[in-house]
PDB file of all heavy atoms in Angstrom:
ATOM      1  N   ASP A 208      -5.432 -21.395  46.774  1.00 94.00           N
ATOM      2  CA  ASP A 208      -5.980 -20.057  47.015  1.00 94.00           C
ATOM      3  C   ASP A 208      -7.482 -20.121  47.295  1.00 94.00           C
ATOM      4  O   ASP A 208      -7.981 -19.549  48.279  1.00 94.00           O
ATOM      5  CB  ASP A 208      -5.747 -19.158  45.792  1.00 94.00           C
ATOM      6  CG  ASP A 208      -4.289 -18.790  45.607  1.00 94.00           C
ATOM      7  OD1 ASP A 208      -3.526 -18.880  46.582  1.00 94.00           O
ATOM      8  OD2 ASP A 208      -3.920 -18.405  44.478  1.00 94.00           O
ATOM      9  N   GLN A 212      -9.371 -19.161  50.739  1.00 93.00           N
ATOM     10  CA  GLN A 212     -10.253 -17.991  50.692  1.00 93.00           C
ATOM     11  C   GLN A 212     -11.625 -18.336  51.263  1.00 93.00           C
ATOM     12  O   GLN A 212     -12.232 -17.529  51.986  1.00 93.00           O
ATOM     13  CB  GLN A 212     -10.371 -17.486  49.244  1.00 93.00           C
ATOM     14  CG  GLN A 212      -9.124 -16.759  48.755  1.00 93.00           C
ATOM     15  CD  GLN A 212      -9.060 -16.626  47.254  1.00 93.00           C
ATOM     16  OE1 GLN A 212     -10.046 -16.901  46.550  1.00 93.00           O
ATOM     17  NE2 GLN A 212      -7.919 -16.206  46.724  1.00 93.00           N
ATOM     18  N   ARG A 261      -0.319  -8.372  57.723  1.00 97.00           N
ATOM     19  CA  ARG A 261      -0.307  -9.740  58.254  1.00 97.00           C
ATOM     20  C   ARG A 261       0.843  -9.917  59.253  1.00 97.00           C
ATOM     21  O   ARG A 261       0.688 -10.584  60.278  1.00 97.00           O
ATOM     22  CB  ARG A 261      -0.191 -10.751  57.115  1.00 97.00           C
ATOM     23  CG  ARG A 261      -1.466 -10.868  56.263  1.00 97.00           C
ATOM     24  CD  ARG A 261      -1.295 -11.933  55.190  1.00 97.00           C
ATOM     25  NE  ARG A 261      -2.474 -12.079  54.346  1.00 97.00           N
ATOM     26  CZ  ARG A 261      -3.531 -12.817  54.640  1.00 97.00           C
ATOM     27  NH1 ARG A 261      -3.572 -13.469  55.795  1.00 97.00           N
ATOM     28  NH2 ARG A 261      -4.559 -12.905  53.819  1.00 97.00           N
ATOM     29  N   ALA A 311      -9.122 -12.068  45.173  1.00 93.00           N
ATOM     30  CA  ALA A 311      -8.388 -13.185  44.579  1.00 93.00           C
ATOM     31  C   ALA A 311      -6.903 -13.132  44.882  1.00 93.00           C
ATOM     32  O   ALA A 311      -6.211 -14.139  44.764  1.00 93.00           O
ATOM     33  CB  ALA A 311      -8.606 -13.206  43.066  1.00 93.00           C
ATOM     34  N   MET A 312      -6.381 -11.958  45.284  1.00 94.00           N
ATOM     35  CA  MET A 312      -4.942 -11.852  45.542  1.00 94.00           C
ATOM     36  C   MET A 312      -4.585 -12.181  46.987  1.00 94.00           C
ATOM     37  O   MET A 312      -3.474 -11.941  47.432  1.00 94.00           O
ATOM     38  CB  MET A 312      -4.433 -10.457  45.187  1.00 94.00           C
ATOM     39  CG  MET A 312      -5.022  -9.328  45.998  1.00 94.00           C
ATOM     40  SD  MET A 312      -4.151  -7.757  45.771  1.00 94.00           S
ATOM     41  CE  MET A 312      -2.666  -8.053  46.726  1.00 94.00           C
ATOM     42  N   ASN A 313      -5.542 -12.745  47.731  1.00 94.00           N
ATOM     43  CA  ASN A 313      -5.315 -13.199  49.111  1.00 94.00           C
ATOM     44  C   ASN A 313      -5.018 -12.047  50.072  1.00 94.00           C
ATOM     45  O   ASN A 313      -4.268 -12.206  51.036  1.00 94.00           O
ATOM     46  CB  ASN A 313      -4.178 -14.232  49.176  1.00 94.00           C
ATOM     47  CG  ASN A 313      -4.544 -15.528  48.511  1.00 94.00           C
ATOM     48  OD1 ASN A 313      -5.723 -15.820  48.287  1.00 94.00           O
ATOM     49  ND2 ASN A 313      -3.553 -16.338  48.173  1.00 94.00           N
ATOM     50  N   ALA A 314      -5.602 -10.887  49.802  1.00 93.00           N
ATOM     51  CA  ALA A 314      -5.385  -9.741  50.679  1.00 93.00           C
ATOM     52  C   ALA A 314      -6.307  -9.812  51.891  1.00 93.00           C
ATOM     53  O   ALA A 314      -7.462 -10.247  51.790  1.00 93.00           O
ATOM     54  CB  ALA A 314      -5.626  -8.442  49.918  1.00 93.00           C
ATOM     55  N   ASP A 866      -0.208 -16.476  45.563  1.00 96.00           N
ATOM     56  CA  ASP A 866       0.970 -16.425  46.427  1.00 96.00           C
ATOM     57  C   ASP A 866       2.268 -16.421  45.623  1.00 96.00           C
ATOM     58  O   ASP A 866       3.215 -15.711  45.975  1.00 96.00           O
ATOM     59  CB  ASP A 866       0.959 -17.604  47.397  1.00 96.00           C
ATOM     60  CG  ASP A 866      -0.085 -17.440  48.485  1.00 96.00           C
ATOM     61  OD1 ASP A 866      -0.683 -16.348  48.565  1.00 96.00           O
ATOM     62  OD2 ASP A 866      -0.308 -18.389  49.257  1.00 96.00           O
ATOM     63  N   ARG A 869       2.522 -12.917  44.226  1.00 96.00           N
ATOM     64  CA  ARG A 869       2.919 -11.972  45.276  1.00 96.00           C
ATOM     65  C   ARG A 869       4.415 -12.081  45.576  1.00 96.00           C
ATOM     66  O   ARG A 869       5.132 -11.076  45.635  1.00 96.00           O
ATOM     67  CB  ARG A 869       2.127 -12.254  46.559  1.00 96.00           C
ATOM     68  CG  ARG A 869       0.680 -11.822  46.531  1.00 96.00           C
ATOM     69  CD  ARG A 869      -0.129 -12.504  47.622  1.00 96.00           C
ATOM     70  NE  ARG A 869       0.378 -12.248  48.961  1.00 96.00           N
ATOM     71  CZ  ARG A 869      -0.258 -11.563  49.913  1.00 96.00           C
ATOM     72  NH1 ARG A 869      -1.453 -11.058  49.652  1.00 96.00           N
ATOM     73  NH2 ARG A 869       0.260 -11.397  51.107  1.00 96.00           N
TER      74      ARG A 869
END
Side-chain angles (χ1 to χ4, degrees):
D208 290 339
Q212 286 163 11
R261 289 182 180 276
M312 63 168 285
N313 292 342
D866 287 352
R869 286 162 58 114

